[in-house]
Amino acid sequence: VPELPEVETVCRGLNQVTLGDRIQGGEVLLERTIAFPESQGFLAALQGCCLVQWERRGKYLLAQLAPAAQPAQSAGYLGVHLRMTGQLLWVDATQAVEKHTRVRFFFGNDHELRFLDQRTFGQLWWVPPDRQPADIITGLGRLGPEPFSEQFSLEYFSRQLHHRHRPIKNALLDQALVAGVGNIYADEALFLSGIHPQIHGADLTLAQRQRLRESVIQVLSDSITAKGTTFRTFRTVEGINGNYGGQAWVYDRDGQPCKVCGTPIERMKLAGRSAHFCPQCQPRS
DNA sequence: CCTGCTACCTGGTCGC
DNA sequence: TGCGACCAGGTAGCAG
């Protein structure tokens, strides 16, 4: 269940191992994983390229590409969204191909970058050098500010919540409001702020908005420090589990006692997702 | 413009 | 043991 901290962890790992080696070829094992262009053109575009740098935007990964023979030029970008179950693994080429492998990239140093994805929602794009990433990867253009950026100010957050009529949990999951928060960290941030997930953003006090904004930043930042979560299928590029999972206050803990007050954690459906909360620590008003 | 609902997927779990 | 229902959830598309 990769959200911003998991994608950031993958991004940092990829920058440590994948840069500077020529992509000699690749293989697409599941056609629909390649969102643009069709898989033949995709592989042809990446062949002979080097990865210059990986960046993260929301839950998207972008790798700057350059022709291996002319590293100063641009060959566009490789875009990746892991969606629910996607993983990028940097493995020795002799390693057996894992189940759910969807795309392979063969590098010049006896290594492969493999994209695995059990539930096949994940997507890869090639962005040609004469196009903007948001032109090809439409979801990028809809993203709101990064949570660690100056644009995600209290003034911005407060203004966004002010005239809206939807539960605050739904608002936090809206990638146009703030990029990168998913179901786990939305629940955790609301717990840390003492805010019930069903309260409408417009009904929050200024102090609550301030606390929530800070909690969102804190919970994402703490999880990056812990290298992501182990909630379901997340692995770093080296195949190692993160360890935020053991630290969850409310996520996936319905029925278990609140770590602060002992009240059983409850679960309700919001935005088609499970919202987990402590009815004592997160009152409705 | 705003909101919420559903499809897209696979595999694990639960009740009968 | 088998089988269907349900659940996990990010995002696009669409209905109201």
Side-chain angles (χ1 to χ4, degrees):
Chain A
V1 190
E3 303 182 26
L4 185 151
E6 291 74 28
V7 179
E8 178 67 25
T9 298
V10 169
C11 185
R12 292 178 184 187
L14 291 168
N15 275 326
Q16 287 177 7
V17 295
T18 65
L19 305 188
D21 297 311
R22 184 173 178 274
I23 298 174
Q24 296 190 328
E27 180 184 10
V28 174
L29 291 90
L30 184 68
E31 291 288 327
R32 66 168 174 273
T33 300
I34 309 302
F36 185 88
E38 88 300 345
S39 65
Q40 291 280 331
F42 175 85
L43 288 175
L46 271 90
Q47 183 159 3
C49 288
C50 282
L51 303 179
V52 176
Q53 183 76 28
W54 288 88
E55 309 155 21
R56 180 195 57 74
R57 174 82 174 93
K59 300 170 194 169
Y60 292 84
L61 285 165
L62 283 177
Q64 293 177 40
L65 302 172
Q70 293 125 321
Q73 289 184 21
S74 171
Y77 289 89
L78 168 63
V80 181
H81 198 303
L82 304 174
R83 289 271 157 61
M84 313 299 304
T85 53
Q87 301 175 44
L88 283 165
L89 294 182
W90 181 250
V91 298
D92 194 286
T94 58
Q95 189 170 320
V97 177
E98 301 84 350
K99 193 177 181 183
H100 306 310
T101 300
R102 308 307 184 191
V103 181
R104 305 166 71 190
F105 298 104
F106 309 129
F107 283 73
N109 54 1
D110 297 324
H111 274 78
E112 287 185 32
L113 183 64
R114 293 181 184 163
F115 181 72
L116 278 65
D117 189 17
Q118 180 204 112
R119 287 169 63 188
T120 74
F121 288 178
Q123 292 190 293
L124 307 190
W125 296 260
W126 176 58
V127 181
D130 59 341
R131 307 288 293 276
Q132 292 297 313
D135 293 341
I136 305 292
I137 309 171
T138 53
L140 271 180
R142 287 192 270 269
L143 292 179
E146 288 290 319
F148 304 128
S149 71
E150 285 184 19
Q151 286 76 22
F152 187 56
S153 62
L154 177 58
E155 198 262 333
Y156 165 83
F157 189 48
S158 205
R159 178 160 31 89
Q160 288 292 315
L161 296 180
H162 196 64
H163 292 294
R164 303 307 225 28
H165 294 282
R166 56 179 172 176
I168 186 63
K169 170 72 187 279
N170 300 37
L172 288 178
L173 292 176
D174 183 353
Q175 301 300 297
L177 194 155
V178 56
V181 178
N183 205 36
I184 296 168
Y185 299 109
D187 282 358
E188 294 294 296
L190 286 168
F191 176 82
L192 291 175
S193 319
I195 296 169
H196 192 286
Q198 214 169 16
I199 296 178
H200 287 199
D203 294 332
L204 295 175
T205 66
L206 182 61
Q208 284 178 313
R209 295 173 199 201
Q210 183 163 8
R211 193 160 176 204
L212 180 55
R213 176 184 163 275
E214 287 166 3
S215 296
V216 166
I217 294 167
Q218 187 69 53
V219 76
L220 295 175
S221 158
D222 286 351
S223 182
I224 290 171
T225 302
K227 298 196 175 196
T229 82
T230 57
F231 286 114
R232 292 259 175 330
T233 55
F234 177 69
R235 299 284 185 281
T236 65
V237 285
E238 298 89 3
I240 298 167
N241 284 25
N243 61 7
Y244 186 87
Q247 302 171 19
W249 293 99
V250 289
Y251 180 77
D252 205 20
R253 294 195 66 245
D254 46 307
Q256 300 176 46
C258 172
K259 293 179 178 180
V260 171
C261 73
T263 305
I265 300 301
E266 291 183 13
R267 184 170 71 154
M268 70 187 307
K269 207 82 163 174
L270 284 176
R273 302 283 168 262
S274 285
H276 311 78
F277 64 100
C278 170
Q280 177 74 26
C281 297
Q282 297 166 263
R284 285 176 179 275
S285 56

